[in-house]
Amino acid sequence: MRALCVSQFAGSWVKLARPTLVAAALMLQVTVPAIAAATVGAAAAEPYSVLINPGDEAEQSRFATFSAWKSTLEQSLRPERGAALKVTPSTDASADLSATRARLFDVFVAPAHVIGSAVRYGYVPVASIEKPVQAVLVAFNTSPVSSLESAAGKRLGLPQQDSVVTYLLRGELNAANTTVKRHFSSVVESRYQDALLICLQIKRCDVVAVERAVFERWVAAGEPLKVVMQSKAVPGMGVALKPASTTSPEALRAALAKNMAAAPGAFGAQKLQALAAKDFDYVSTLGYFTPRSLPGATVVDAATVAQLQKAGALLFDTRNDVEFKAGHIAGASLLPYGEKSAKDADFKAADDSFDISKLPANKATPLVFACNGAECWKSFKASHAALKAGYSKVYWFRGGFPEWRSANLPVAVQ
């Protein structure tokens, strides 16, 4: 992949960005100076640690978004603790995702994929900007590209790899059992989404991926563009609170809403909306779960697996022996898949171990592979191995043991 800087396109972009360099440099500081001290004589409380990742539409909007959230959080959390806020600015969502797993911050303010990860690891969703976010694949109206499928082999313009747009697009490609590298002939990366319009204009990109709001702004400015693919909508910039915090999600949400309303210039017409953990189900699993299909195999549900077993199909549990002994589908045989490869549609099977000799000699035998649900890749990879070995009747039970158990079907313990 080759990085594409804004300065490569036009001198006007360089001139536009230069006035913001000083402002951007301010974001490099790690700690915001202490706010007003607590009441004299009172013991100072521990400061809230806050991470703010403002997204990546453009340099100007990034700094403005960071500043608006920083100011609003200072006003909203200061009365609660009466102490300084330790604010960390970030432009690295990959590092932020890791920080959610380690619970390094009391509060996260970030795009949906970071907040979704925080929720997955125990944080409480507080609120998000009312307008949701969609990743869209965009081309000129005159382009023959009309869908994700017809974009195969084309040149793609993409924001940096930790952008919510890139996260959503990679997830949708993964769900379709392909990858960015496999689907497109080349990829041009840009630090900011707005720069990708120039990539289309100079015909270095055939299609580009951006947020729908960015696409709509381009069209409003007169650009003859169309959407050829879109993800599901995910929450906008949001806030997540560490569990067992001294402030409640409800109190923080109310304070944020009040202070945002008092400074309409900072957020425009945007308002906050309350969120629940389920609002992040899509984004928090999209780049993590297995593909929805596997060419050559039949994806089946629990009821179909039960029917296949009655008809003589062999069911193989690809988890490890500890999981198998703790509980498994009645009638299943243990055939562990030793997984070292990446959880990716382009996984390297050579890195893994799977004893294909344990499968029946008759390649027409119906085989069912299962593991620990849609987020477990072992049964997907085992099914792939069986297909490659020439087995013609391969059934992939994507929901695996969790779906079987939820359906109240027979479970065995060993």
Side-chain angles (χ1 to χ4, degrees):
M1 293 183 185
R2 291 175 292 175
L4 182 63
C5 299
V6 178
S7 60
Q8 290 177 300
F9 289 121
S12 59
W13 277 85
V14 176
K15 293 176 183 177
L16 180 63
R18 188 172 294 131
T20 69
L21 292 179
V22 174
L26 294 177
M27 291 180 62
L28 296 178
Q29 62 185 356
V30 174
T31 305
V32 173
I35 319 169
T39 305
V40 176
E46 285 293 318
Y48 272 104
S49 57
V50 180
L51 180 139
I52 302 177
N53 184 326
D56 61 354
E57 284 189 30
E59 184 176 356
Q60 292 81 5
S61 62
R62 172 177 280 180
F63 181 70
T65 300
F66 169 81
S67 300
W69 277 108
K70 172 179 164 294
S71 175
T72 303
L73 281 163
E74 285 176 347
Q75 296 174 57
S76 301
L77 288 172
R78 176 179 169 183
E80 169 65 26
R81 281 277 174 99
L85 261 66
K86 186 178 180 181
V87 180
T88 299
S90 173
T91 58
D92 186 349
S94 295
D96 302 344
L97 290 167
S98 179
T100 65
R101 295 190 285 271
R103 294 190 178 183
L104 295 183
F105 296 91
D106 294 312
V107 180
F108 279 92
V109 180
H113 57 319
V114 175
I115 300 300
S117 178
V119 170
R120 184 176 181 84
Y121 290 100
Y123 282 75
V124 181
V126 175
S128 78
I129 293 299
E130 204 168 39
K131 188 173 183 178
V133 171
Q134 275 184 302
V136 293
L137 202 59
V138 176
F140 278 118
N141 288 336
T142 54
S143 171
V145 177
S146 59
S147 65
L148 180 62
E149 292 74 18
S150 62
K154 302 299 184 182
R155 299 166 300 171
L156 172 68
L158 199 63
Q160 55 194 1
Q161 66 175 354
D162 60 0
S163 166
V164 66
V165 170
T166 302
Y167 186 92
L168 291 170
L169 178 63
R170 288 184 187 278
E172 286 293 345
L173 287 166
N174 178 72
N177 199 21
T178 187
T179 63
V180 169
K181 182 179 178 180
R182 190 195 304 172
H183 199 73
F184 298 95
S185 62
S186 63
V187 178
V188 172
E189 289 186 334
S190 171
R191 186 179 179 190
Y192 301 111
Q193 295 180 45
D194 275 328
L196 292 170
L197 175 59
I198 303 175
C199 194
L200 282 172
Q201 291 171 335
I202 66 173
K203 299 183 179 179
R204 189 174 175 185
C205 298
D206 300 308
V207 291
V208 298
V210 295
E211 292 180 27
R212 177 172 283 279
V214 174
F215 160 76
E216 290 174 349
R217 188 168 69 245
W218 291 350
V219 171
E223 297 295 338
L225 301 169
K226 63 182 178 181
V227 170
V228 300
M229 170 265 176
Q230 64 183 21
S231 72
K232 292 182 180 179
V234 301
M237 281 285 295
V239 181
L241 183 66
K242 195 173 186 177
S245 176
T246 55
T247 189
S248 70
E250 295 76 18
L252 179 55
R253 185 185 309 120
L256 287 170
K258 176 183 176 181
N259 290 311
M260 285 177 66
F267 291 92
Q270 298 181 111
K271 296 180 180 179
L272 281 183
Q273 63 178 357
L275 291 174
K278 64 179 179 61
D279 294 317
F280 293 93
D281 285 351
Y282 168 70
V283 70
S284 65
T285 59
L286 185 60
Y288 180 80
F289 276 24
T290 50
R292 301 185 186 110
S293 63
L294 174 58
T298 302
V299 181
V300 290
D301 59 14
T304 304
V305 171
Q307 295 173 356
L308 287 168
Q309 280 186 298
K310 290 180 181 179
L314 302 180
L315 173 59
F316 293 97
D317 189 322
T318 60
R319 300 175 300 163
N320 61 45
D321 59 343
V322 174
E323 294 171 308
F324 184 80
K325 289 176 181 178
H328 57 268
I329 297 170
S333 298
L334 176 64
L335 185 54
Y337 189 96
E339 184 183 34
K340 292 185 178 180
S341 63
K343 299 181 190 310
D344 186 273
D346 274 343
F347 73 98
K348 295 181 181 179
D351 292 344
D352 301 334
S353 58
F354 184 62
D355 193 351
I356 202 79
S357 69
K358 295 288 183 68
L359 298 179
N362 182 359
K363 299 293 180 72
T365 304
L367 307 177
V368 182
F369 295 96
C371 58
N372 228 7
E375 61 193 274
C376 177
W377 285 72
K378 294 179 178 180
S379 58
F380 172 85
K381 294 175 179 180
S383 298
H384 187 276
L387 290 168
K388 188 175 180 180
Y391 288 89
S392 60
K393 297 179 181 178
V394 176
Y395 298 89
W396 176 32
F397 183 18
R398 185 172 182 260
F401 183 60
E403 182 183 325
W404 182 271
R405 185 173 49 199
S406 296
N408 294 317
L409 291 166
V411 171
V413 177
Q414 186 173 322

